[in-house]
Amino acid sequence: MLELRAITAGYDRRTPVVRDVSLTVEPGEAVGLLGPSGCGKSTLARVAALLHRPDSGTLLLDGAPVRHWRHRAPREVRTAFGVVFQQPRLSADPRLRLDDLIAEPLRATGRREEAPDRVAELAATVGLTPDLLGRRPHEVSDGQLQRACLARALVLRPRLLVCDEMTSMLDASTAAALVAVVEDYRRSTGAGLLAVGHDRTLLRRWCDRTVHWDDIARAGGPNPRV
Amino acid sequence: MTQRPVVLSVRGLSVRFRMPGGRVVAAVTDAHFDVAAGECLALIGESGCGKSVLASALLGLLPANAQTAGEARLGDLDLLTADERTLARTVRGRRIGLVPQSPAAHLTPVRTVRAQLAETVAALTGVRGRDALDTATRAAAARAAFPEDHLDRHPHELSGGLAQRAATALALVGDASLLVADEPTTGLDRDLVDRTVEELRRHVDAPDGTGAPGRALLMITHDLEAAERIADRIAVMYAGRIVELTDADTFFGSPGPRHPYSRGLLQALPDRAFTPIPGMPPELGALPDGCAFAARCAWATDACGAVPELTAAAACATAPVTTGGGLPTAAEALRTGAAPPPAAAVACHHPHMPEDIRA
Ligand code: SF4
């Protein structure tokens, strides 16, 4: 279970983009967070995935407060999260072959020997053929690269997935395929999900519950830009 | 719609990339379509299907290892054989306005919107003199609903929506009869998609003051919702080929599209079945023989071992309009180019039939 309590965060303390926002993802629950671009929902997603330290507020993982973010977070806390972003080209190391990209979190946590089996298994899950695994990001399409990024997010068997606009660059079929992979994974592991996006139809179809940014962000927060 | 003058006429357009090691990538194969004034044709398909390559071919922006065949006529000019000097001086910006995929990247980061717009106005129109140029620049911004009080901002100070409008304003300066929009809504949230699409539609419908019946718009997109909102006609691209060409109303409404891939794409939408098409498209450098969709198609039969030709979609008409596999020769392209492409066509051996026709 993930609890965000009164989170304030941003890139400049004087003008935080997230102000006093609270949000809970119950065990096994899929929560959709809907909001316009520029509203701060992606920053909140980064806080929730321990990638961005908030200015204030509390984050509880299964009841225990998290005190460190990014590389300073303890390994067992960090590995509880799997994250997928909107733009695979910005989040994938362009030098890595897809199989190394997927295995990267295993290497980083000293579980290198699990890589061959786990990568093969996940490649099949996300629909990547063996010949694609040997290619580098510039040699595959956006859809194929996003499949690899989802496989990487699942490689450590996270208890929580954070998907920030995971499908908004993708065609309808690839989008539906990746959502199906996430849902199969959640069904078999009971993992929770925070799906952030702007597509109401998608989030309502995908998630157990969808909250709108305006309803959780305190009035007086940043106005969505034109 | 059909009486409107045709602005862009594409016949037998193919693009091949020569790769190291002698590999050939068939990015676009034998595309036929027209876009008329006042009409929007949405070219839809997944990333890597060849649709952006097709747009680059029209703009003369293909890399050096590309080879083209067929023709793409804009008035009396064949865009595929025109030299770079002609394209740069008289086509891009003047006869074809490009609305780019990521406007923020398309704009020059260190210069204000006003400076970029003024430069484009000076380059593409006859306007001279400071005051006249200033007036024309503000008018150009207004055409794309770009707010005047933001003209002195730099691109990074603009929201996604305003950057898109700035890029659209630049694309409209030359009063081009053809607009090409390459994924204009990618990364925008739904409200912005709606607004961008409405604005583009306004430019399609709005006569430019010369009495012309509006502009032609070719919109390349993977966003079916955006396509539904703006397009008059839909062209579906799969593995480098246009596999279906039809009215937008027919496509999104009833009886719906006829090609199994088109039907699968629609069924993947979250407000429909939300089920993906199984598998992935083939590599453009290693296309299978026969129908490229066969490995994913529930209707495939032995007949699908032969490439299906794009045929008029009327229930009993089966007039082929394409030359089938391989890179067609210029002569072939010209021969097939004699007949205009049908308004509705599908490339499939077993296209979906509405129940009443099948009965
Ligand atoms: S030609 Fe055959 S394999 Fe191809 S889409 Fe039609 S039915 Fe399916």
Side-chain angles (χ1 to χ4, degrees):
Chain A
M1 165 151 141
L2 177 71
E3 292 164 87
L4 295 158
R5 291 190 190 157
I7 298 287
T8 293
Y11 305 90
D12 177 346
R13 274 183 179 269
R14 286 162 303 179
T15 54
V17 291
V18 176
R19 262 180 228 259
D20 197 14
V21 173
S22 299
L23 182 67
T24 300
V25 181
E26 301 285 342
E29 189 185 28
V31 177
L33 174 56
L34 187 67
S37 61
C39 73
K41 63 189 193 299
S42 288
T43 304
L44 187 69
R46 293 181 65 83
V47 171
L50 307 189
L51 296 172
H52 185 92
R53 190 185 175 81
D55 299 336
S56 64
T58 315
L59 186 151
L60 299 163
L61 178 63
D62 297 327
V66 168
R67 302 188 197 286
H68 300 285
W69 266 260
R70 298 170 59 93
H71 56 277
R72 302 176 66 188
R75 180 177 290 175
E76 69 279 8
V77 176
R78 237 187 311 148
T79 56
F81 292 88
V83 196
V84 191
F85 297 104
Q86 176 177 7
Q87 300 209 25
R89 307 235 167 249
L90 299 182
S91 53
D93 185 335
R95 295 161 305 181
L96 292 183
R97 297 172 8 155
L98 297 200
D99 49 4
D100 293 330
L101 189 79
I102 296 170
E104 200 184 17
L106 286 172
R107 299 227 160 80
T109 49
R111 293 158 60 183
R112 183 184 292 265
E113 67 288 350
E114 295 173 43
D117 289 349
R118 191 78 182 118
V119 169
E121 179 193 338
L122 280 168
T125 304
V126 299
L128 286 174
T129 48
D131 60 308
L132 291 172
L133 292 176
R135 301 206 195 157
R136 292 188 168 74
H138 71 273
E139 296 166 317
V140 300
S141 71
D142 287 350
Q144 289 163 341
L145 190 54
Q146 191 68 306
R147 286 172 194 262
C149 288
L150 176 56
R152 177 181 57 181
L154 299 179
V155 78
L156 296 177
R157 296 192 175 82
R159 306 208 290 285
L160 270 159
L161 278 168
V162 178
C163 298
D164 184 7
E165 300 274 15
M166 177 178 77
T167 62
S168 59
M169 309 272 288
L170 307 175
D171 68 280
S173 177
T174 308
L178 293 196
V179 168
V181 170
V182 168
E183 288 310 292
D184 284 346
Y185 174 78
R186 294 196 332 103
R187 233 182 332 259
S188 64
T189 60
L193 168 73
L194 177 61
V196 176
H198 63 260
D199 187 336
R200 182 183 303 272
T201 317
L202 170 71
L203 292 184
R204 291 224 169 123
R205 181 76 186 251
W206 182 1
C207 301
D208 302 317
R209 173 166 81 88
T210 297
V211 293
H212 198 282
W213 179 258
D214 292 344
D215 298 329
I216 60 167
R218 199 166 65 170
N223 291 318
R225 296 183 297 174
V226 181
Chain B
M1 192 78 45
T2 42
Q3 297 92 318
R4 292 173 183 272
V6 169
V7 174
L8 174 70
S9 178
V10 172
R11 296 290 180 276
L13 168 58
S14 296
V15 181
R16 299 284 178 271
F17 292 111
R18 304 221 156 272
M19 307 304 280
R23 221 159 52 85
V24 175
V25 171
V28 179
T29 300
D30 202 21
H32 293 252
F33 62 87
D34 285 345
V35 194
E39 180 190 57
C40 169
L41 175 71
L43 183 58
I44 64 175
E46 55 210 280
S47 75
C49 75
K51 59 192 194 306
S52 287
V53 172
L54 194 153
S56 300
L58 299 179
L59 291 157
L61 296 175
L62 290 172
N65 65 336
Q67 253 193 348
T68 60
E71 58 174 29
R73 295 216 158 262
L74 183 69
D76 50 10
L77 181 74
D78 181 2
L79 296 167
L80 301 185
T81 52
D83 56 279
E84 171 55 27
R85 191 181 144 96
T86 307
L87 290 168
R89 291 200 174 181
T90 69
V91 176
R92 291 195 293 266
R94 293 173 197 265
R95 297 182 66 182
I96 305 181
L98 172 68
V99 181
Q101 174 160 13
S102 50
H106 191 72
L107 301 166
T108 311
V110 295
R111 302 180 61 211
T112 64
V113 174
R114 188 190 301 276
Q116 294 182 55
L117 212 42
E119 183 189 65
T120 307
V121 169
L124 297 185
T125 67
V127 177
R128 293 292 173 269
R130 227 174 110 184
D131 289 351
L133 202 53
D134 186 54
T135 309
T137 299
R138 283 185 282 124
R143 275 215 286 179
F146 186 90
E148 205 175 314
D149 58 354
H150 283 55
L151 273 173
D152 291 313
R153 300 207 177 172
H154 291 86
H156 71 266
E157 297 170 304
L158 300 175
S159 65
L162 286 187
Q164 183 58 261
R165 285 188 206 175
T168 306
L170 283 169
L172 293 173
V173 167
D175 245 333
S177 56
L178 173 66
L179 292 176
V180 175
D182 187 4
E183 299 278 9
T185 61
T186 291
L188 301 183
D189 60 59
R190 203 36 67 188
D191 291 348
L192 274 178
V193 168
D194 291 350
R195 220 171 310 162
T196 302
V197 154
E198 261 163 42
E199 284 166 11
L200 281 172
R201 185 72 230 188
R202 200 160 51 77
H203 299 306
V204 172
D205 294 333
D208 47 17
T210 64
R215 297 180 180 82
L217 170 62
L218 175 64
M219 182 163 108
I220 316 277
T221 189
H222 71 267
D223 184 342
L224 294 175
E225 263 181 86
E228 180 171 10
R229 291 188 76 102
I230 193 172
D232 299 297
R233 288 193 301 135
I234 304 287
V236 182
M237 202 157 181
Y238 185 77
R241 287 177 184 266
I242 291 178
V243 296
E244 183 157 15
L245 199 58
T246 186
D247 245 33
D249 290 344
T250 311
F251 189 88
F252 290 105
S254 173
R258 302 190 60 207
H259 196 280
Y261 174 65
S262 314
R263 299 186 72 81
L265 266 187
L266 281 180
Q267 285 311 308
L269 286 172
D271 56 352
R272 301 204 187 197
F274 204 30
T275 41
I277 303 166
M280 279 199 297
E283 298 287 322
L284 295 175
L287 290 174
D289 292 336
C291 175
F293 190 62
R296 309 172 73 183
C297 182
W299 285 268
T301 63
D302 289 349
C304 307
V307 175
E309 298 191 325
L310 193 69
T311 29
C316 47
T318 49
V321 296
T322 72
T323 54
L327 190 65
T329 63
E332 273 177 323
L334 281 177
R335 180 174 57 73
T336 55
V346 61
C348 172
H349 292 297
H350 312 291
H352 177 84
M353 294 286 203
E355 295 309 322
D356 50 342
I357 294 178
R358 194 175 283 177

